[in-house]
């Protein structure tokens, strides 16, 4: 173990009284719901030092702290194992979904074409402007794309009207790809709910052939796509998957519109089945986390015997 420095978003917690460090750890977990109500900040929610030190604490003697820690360790060992198993099941569902997509996009024949994206699409970077809490357009950023490639409905930002922004106005079913950061490579199929402009860290993909955008959206979830995205991206701490790299992505697709529709419906069926399984596991994860909080509450109310 080496030395480490804390940045301004972390606190080092110490106590002047006799205290068991693991007990402090469990106490802070228990206090999360209380502290979350004290958070401030628009862009980055945080708890101030003043609020943290003002958090009410009931401090039992060290033997009682040790007893609570021992009981929580025992209870949480089983719960954490169940959480790990459930998270593994979610990974397996994702693996199944990607594998099935790979299979569908590999079942090609002479009626299919294979191209690099530069041959069949035009790419356009987004608009750069400072956002606000209100405005004429919603301003869609890379952080607005969720894990499923859908548009988040929370933490919206907006832009005022301008003639320059109109050039970046989105249409229903437009494709946007995040080109950097933790969401690099993720593709959004835009649902035209409100007038929206896309930000500069996003790339709009416009096909110049009759290819259904939703077909490409499903392709962007396949193993084949992500293998290419990983190989073509640059940077380690902050991966970059820019327009020049995106142009090199290879896509196979049916030329016939009816065949595209059949492929799309098959992809949808797989997505709905695996998403149903995944949501069940996510619900179980939430139940297990709720159980942990329930046990913590009992422990710090002195109800564990």
């Amino acid at each position: 173990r080496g030395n480490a420095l804390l940045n301004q978003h972390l606190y080092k917690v110490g106590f002047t009284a006799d205290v068991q460090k693991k007990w402090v750890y469990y106490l802070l977990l228990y206090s999360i719901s209380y502290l979350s109500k004290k958070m401030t900040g628009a862009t980055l929610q945080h708890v101030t030092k003043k609020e943290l030190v003002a958090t009410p604490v009931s401090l039992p003697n060290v033997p009682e702290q040790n007893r609570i820690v021992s009981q929580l360790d025992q209870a949480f060992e089983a719960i954490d194992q169940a959480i790990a198993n459930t998270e593994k099941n979610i990974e397996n569902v994702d693996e199944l979904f990607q594998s099935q997509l790979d299979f569908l996009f590999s079942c090609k024949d002479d009626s299919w074409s294979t191209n690099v994206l530069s041959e069949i699409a035009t790419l356009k970077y987004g608009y750069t402007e400072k956002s606000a809490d209100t405005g004429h357009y919603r301003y869609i950023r890379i952080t607005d794309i969720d894990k499923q490639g859908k548009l988040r409905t929370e933490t919206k930002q907006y832009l005022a009207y301008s003639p320059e922004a109109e050039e970046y106005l989105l249409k229903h079913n437009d494709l946007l790809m995040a080109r950097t950061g933790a969401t690099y490579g993720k593709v959004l199929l835009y649902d035209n709910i409100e007038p929206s402009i896309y930000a500069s860290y996003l790339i709009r993909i416009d096909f110049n052939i009759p290819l259904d955008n939703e077909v490409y959206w499903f392709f962007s979830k396949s193993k084949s796509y992500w293998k290419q995205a990983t190989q073509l991206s640059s940077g380690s701490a902050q991966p970059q998957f820019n327009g020049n790299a995106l142009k090199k992505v290879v896509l196979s697709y049916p030329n016939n519109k009816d065949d595209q529709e059949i492929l799309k419906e098959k992809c949808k069926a797989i997505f709905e089945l695996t998403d149903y399984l995944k949501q069940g596991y996510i619900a179980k994860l939430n139940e297990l986390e709720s159980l942990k909080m329930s046990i913590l509450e009992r422990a710090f109310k002195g109800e564990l015997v």
Side-chain angles (χ1 to χ4, degrees), residues 3 18 35 41 79 93 101 174 209 217 223 266 284 300:
N3 296 325
D18 288 336
L35 291 172
I79 295 173
V93 170
L101 287 180
D174 268 351
I209 60 170
W217 184 67
K223 280 186 177 181
K266 288 180 178 178
K284 183 176 180 181
F300 287 101

Side-chain angles (χ1 to χ4, degrees), residues 175-186:
L175 290 166
L176 298 175
M177 189 205 75
R179 62 184 177 92
T180 189
T183 57
Y184 90 96
K186 286 284 175 65

Side-chain angles (χ1 to χ4, degrees), residues 125-185:
Y125 285 77
Y127 185 61
T128 302
E129 185 56 270
K130 187 175 180 180
S131 61
D133 293 333
T134 59
H136 183 76
Y137 314 101
R138 179 173 179 182
Y139 194 40
I140 297 179
R141 305 148 297 166
I142 57 175
T143 51
D144 291 321
I145 302 178
D146 70 13
K147 292 181 178 179
Q148 291 188 328
K150 294 185 177 180
L151 187 62
R152 297 184 189 276
T153 56
E154 67 275 12
T155 64
K156 292 182 180 182
Q157 288 290 286
Y158 292 87
L159 294 178
Y161 171 81
S162 72
E164 295 82 10
E166 285 283 313
E167 184 181 342
Y168 303 88
L169 191 63
L170 291 169
K171 305 183 299 296
H172 182 63
N173 272 3
D174 268 351
L175 290 166
L176 298 175
M177 189 205 75
R179 62 184 177 92
T180 189
T183 57
Y184 90 96

